[in-house]
Each structure stands twice: as structure tokens, then as C-alpha cells.
Amino acid sequence: MSGTDPAGTDRPRPGVPQAGVKGIGEDPREQDRDVAEAPGKIWFRDLDEAVIEADRCIQCASCVAACPSDSIGIDVDEGRPTLVKMCTGCSRCWDFCPRSGLRYERHLELTHEERGLAEPGTYAARATDEAAGAGQDGGVVTALLAELIEAGEIDGAVVAREQEDEPLRGEAVLATSREELLAAGGSIYNQTMGLGQLDELLADADLGSEAHGASDSRAGSETTRETDDPDLALVGTPCMIQGATALDRYDHEPADPIALTVALMCTRSFEHSRLVSRLETFDVDPAAVDTLDISDGQLRATDTAGETLLETDVDAFDAAGLRGCDECADFVGGAADISVGNVGSQDGETTVVVRTETGESAWETAAPALETAAIDRPGTLEKLADWNRRRAESILPREYDPEAGIGITYEHHRESYDGTDREPEPLNPARVHQYEEWC
């Protein structure tokens, strides 16, 4: 996979100067440039204009994780990737972004062919212990991860929890015990960019400094394993799982710690500030909201006493959503080992799709803590997935083609997006200093 153009890098590029560096608007790197750019290079600046400035970023952090020089970080205030030091033009950020160089629908096809079960298992499930009350829709994810940690199958799980000082804003955490998982239970409806923070989370947890012991509450014993090479579960939206599994497919080091992927079925993530602002238009104090739940097309906010603060059509929050989510046809998280959601199950239950042998093994390990029932014909789930795919196809400026090459060149992207309402936008003037110094 590459963001370069295999057909020839010298052909005319729509809207792109033929001399110098790609881009739109003023580029400080084009001033007094005597030597033409080496063919095939794609810089973070190109991704910035095509995805981030164009308001198409889905905050999956694939670009952050993919960068081999750690040149891309996370702007905490804006919740988006940003350049933090010298960009080498290696093209990795472009290649692994599901909104630029990664043809995610092809990646889903290849993942299924290479790793998928002949027939995925679909279940309605709920936890049988305290996780049922702490987690969302029966607490299945919490119980699953806790059982895996206590069985010594994984050393921890990257999950989301609400920040203490900012209502409804999620943050990525590495939970290494049942207690930490219970504390993080429930759903967060904004991205936490956990894929781009694996190194920091591992460093804070310090799993590699000594053998990590996990107490097994069922057996009354302790499972101990060496964690110089930790195995983690990554829980996230389908787009985050697309990036993580693509990195793994091409043997890139950032994916090495990820032993299990769990996708949260999703049609859209919210941008935090827009979500808070929208709630306030309904006279709902964000600080009073204990849980947000989206089910059957309704958004429901409740307080700590379980009282309903707001119940309305989720479409009323369209403006609070990440615009790039409209281009995703992967509602079910098809690249994950296990996918979870609430479509097709009763209240208090989770719909679970087990897709790979890795997922099947994890599911069997967690079975003692779960009450499950097979769903033979998940019609409701399939209908929503089909609707989501058709909607994304109608919005995508490029062709949706699961049989095409997995890589999308910069030139092809520009040909598809230029002249649409999703075309690249000039870089933010506030970022000019970054490009002057680092590109």
C-alpha cells in the first residue's frame, strides 16, 4: 500500500502546482525553492489540508500511530492530529488514514478473507456480575475484558472513560484490573484517540517493569505473566479499528501490543464542544448528565438518579457529529475480532458479533461471566448496516469499491474531491510556523 501514484508521478495533478510541493493556497515551503520535490512524497501538510482542515477528520488517530518519527501528536484543545516536529514526508499518515489513503472497504474485505470465521457468531448477551450495572447495555464489554485480564490472556485494555474535570469528554485509559474497568464502564460518544496514545499509556502503566499479576476472582488464585511484550485489547469505533488492523496487516510496530480488537458499532461520533453546545440549546446542563444513550434513533440523557433530562430524535444532534463519519459504511466494525452494540437485542443486552478465531477464543474465555443466546438471523442489525452503507456511498465523493486497490493516491483523492463540498482547504494560518519549521 502506498500513497504514491504507480501509474506515474509526473502526470498533471488537478489544482496542484507542477513545480514544488503539493498543496493548495500559500505554502511557505514553496518560497525560494530551487529543487523540485522527490516524486511520491506525501507530507502531513497534504493530509492536513485534505482531511483535517476540510473538516473530515474522524479523530481515529491512525495517522498519529502510523508516523514512524513521532512527528504527529494530538492537539488536546482541538482534539485533532497536529504536527509536533519535523515531517519527513514518508507518506505513512496518508496511507493509513481511512479518509485519505486507506481504502477502508477493501481493507475490510481483505481482513475477512484472511482472518474471518466462515460464519461469524452473533449473540445477545449480558454480564452476570457487577459489570451488568456498571457497563452499557448489560456490561458485556466490561465483563469480557475483566475475564481476559484475570485469566492472564491480556495485560490490559485501552478503553474510554469520562474526564473528571470536563463533563461528557472522554479520555483514553489503559485499564489493567476489573476495578479499573468497572470505573470506566459506560459509553463515551466522542473520540479519545487512544490508538495514538498506546506508547504513553503503556509508559504510565509501567507494565514492562516487572511481572504483572492478575487476581482471578473465580479461581481464587493469581495468574502471573511477564509483560515485556504486553498484550492489550483495543476498544474503539470502527474507524479506529480499521487503522489499527491495517497497521497490523502491514507489520508496523505501533500495532504490536494489540492482541484483541473490539469495535463499538457506530454511525457517528460527536465533537465534544458541539455536543455540549447542542445539549445547552435544549436547556440541559452537561454537568448534570450522568449517561447518554443512543438507541432506536433516539438520544436520551439521564442524571445520576436515572431521571430523564432529554429524549429526542438523534437527528437533532447531526450538527454536533463529526462530518467525516458520513463517509463511513462500516457501522458494524467489520475489521474487529469482536463487534458490540445494542441493535437487535432487548434492553439491558448487548448484541455481539464474533468474527475471528481470536475473538472466538476470547468469547469462550469470558463465557462463565456472561449470559448469552445465539441470534440466528440478525435482521435488524443487517438492515441498519445496509442503510449505513448506502448512505455512505451516496455521500462519498470517490467511488466505493471493495475490489479496488487498498491504497488511494493523493492524485486520485484530489480528482475525486476537488470541486465538492469536501475538497481540501488551505492550511490554518495559525499553523504556518509548523510548516516553516518542520516541513
Side-chain angles (χ1 to χ4, degrees):
M1 181 176 61
S2 174
T4 58
D5 180 7
T9 54
D10 295 328
R11 66 176 178 156
R13 299 166 178 168
V16 181
Q18 289 304 289
V21 182
K22 298 182 297 301
I24 59 176
E26 295 298 322
D27 185 344
R29 295 172 299 163
E30 292 173 356
Q31 300 172 8
D32 302 320
R33 190 177 180 94
D34 297 325
V35 181
E37 176 189 49
K41 273 187 173 291
I42 300 178
W43 305 80
F44 176 76
R45 180 257 171 88
D46 302 315
L47 180 75
D48 191 359
E49 292 176 337
V51 177
I52 302 170
E53 296 299 342
D55 195 26
R56 298 177 52 245
C57 180
I58 46 180
Q59 301 176 356
C60 64
S62 297
C63 60
V64 181
C67 181
S69 57
D70 294 328
S71 297
I72 306 173
I74 299 171
D75 186 316
V76 177
D77 293 332
E78 297 186 13
R80 56 194 268 175
T82 189
L83 203 63
V84 296
K85 65 177 183 179
M86 180 73 73
C87 173
T88 65
C90 74
S91 308
R92 288 253 189 105
C93 61
W94 180 271
D95 288 342
F96 288 94
C97 171
R99 292 299 168 269
S100 60
L102 178 66
R103 191 183 304 276
Y104 69 84
E105 65 271 28
R106 180 56 178 161
H107 173 61
L108 296 176
E109 287 290 312
L110 292 171
T111 300
H112 175 68
E113 292 172 8
E114 296 165 357
R115 301 176 57 235
L117 296 173
E119 188 66 37
T122 305
Y123 307 90
R126 72 177 77 206
T128 58
D129 55 19
E130 69 270 36
Q136 188 88 352
D137 301 318
V140 168
V141 175
T142 301
L144 168 72
L145 298 173
E147 292 296 306
L148 292 173
I149 289 174
E150 292 176 349
E153 296 295 325
I154 60 174
D155 300 296
V158 179
V159 297
R161 71 180 179 196
E162 186 176 13
Q163 290 187 11
E164 293 182 2
D165 58 349
E166 196 160 4
L168 302 181
R169 183 186 286 279
E171 63 179 356
V173 295
L174 176 53
T176 60
S177 68
R178 179 180 293 271
E179 291 72 26
E180 290 175 347
L181 287 166
L182 290 171
S187 292
I188 298 293
Y189 287 98
N190 65 275
Q191 295 279 46
T192 63
M193 304 183 76
L195 177 59
Q197 301 177 59
L198 290 182
D199 286 346
E200 292 86 349
L201 293 171
L202 281 168
D204 290 344
D206 200 22
L207 290 178
S209 63
E210 57 185 23
H212 177 59
S215 173
D216 186 337
S217 60
R218 289 181 290 106
S221 62
E222 184 175 89
T223 301
T224 303
R225 54 176 287 165
E226 295 295 333
T227 52
D228 288 338
D229 185 19
D231 288 331
L232 305 180
L234 177 68
V235 181
T237 54
C239 57
M240 183 187 294
I241 304 302
Q242 291 164 15
T245 51
L247 285 164
D248 179 63
R249 186 170 187 274
Y250 291 95
D251 295 322
H252 286 306
E253 186 178 345
D256 287 351
I258 302 171
L260 177 74
T261 53
V262 179
L264 307 173
M265 296 181 195
C266 172
T267 58
R268 170 167 297 189
S269 292
F270 294 113
E271 197 281 322
H272 176 259
S273 63
R274 298 177 197 166
L275 173 62
V276 167
S277 177
R278 189 63 179 139
L279 284 169
E280 290 171 343
T281 66
F282 286 92
D283 295 324
V284 174
D285 178 6
V289 176
D290 182 57
T291 61
L292 275 178
D293 182 49
I294 298 175
S295 181
D296 297 327
Q298 295 288 301
L299 182 145
R300 184 168 178 257
T302 57
D303 61 18
T304 54
E307 295 295 321
T308 299
L309 301 174
L310 173 68
E311 187 166 5
T312 187
D313 194 313
V314 72
D315 289 344
F317 281 74
D318 270 356
L322 296 176
R323 189 162 172 258
C325 294
D326 295 340
E327 299 180 39
C328 182
D330 185 25
F331 160 69
V332 294
D337 296 306
I338 296 175
S339 300
V340 296
N342 61 11
V343 175
S345 295
Q346 299 178 4
D347 289 344
E349 292 183 339
T350 298
T351 298
V352 181
V353 182
V354 179
R355 301 183 180 280
T356 68
E357 289 184 1
T358 299
E360 193 172 51
S361 175
W363 188 244
E364 291 172 355
T365 298
L370 300 171
E371 177 184 313
T372 68
I375 300 176
D376 294 328
R377 298 183 60 82
T380 304
L381 182 63
E382 291 171 350
K383 286 179 181 178
L384 182 53
D386 183 63
W387 170 85
N388 185 67
R389 178 188 56 76
R390 288 185 282 106
R391 177 174 176 268
E393 286 189 55
S394 71
I395 293 171
L396 265 174
R398 67 170 178 82
E399 183 181 7
Y400 178 88
D401 187 357
E403 301 303 319
I406 195 170
I408 300 173
T409 66
Y410 178 84
E411 290 79 9
H412 184 193
H413 180 91
R414 291 293 299 270
E415 289 169 358
S416 299
Y417 281 79
D418 279 7
T420 74
D421 63 351
R422 293 169 184 264
E423 67 181 353
E425 294 289 339
L427 65 95
N428 186 329
R431 300 181 190 276
V432 167
H433 74 280
Q434 295 179 333
Y435 299 114
E436 289 177 333
E437 295 177 19
W438 297 330
C439 286

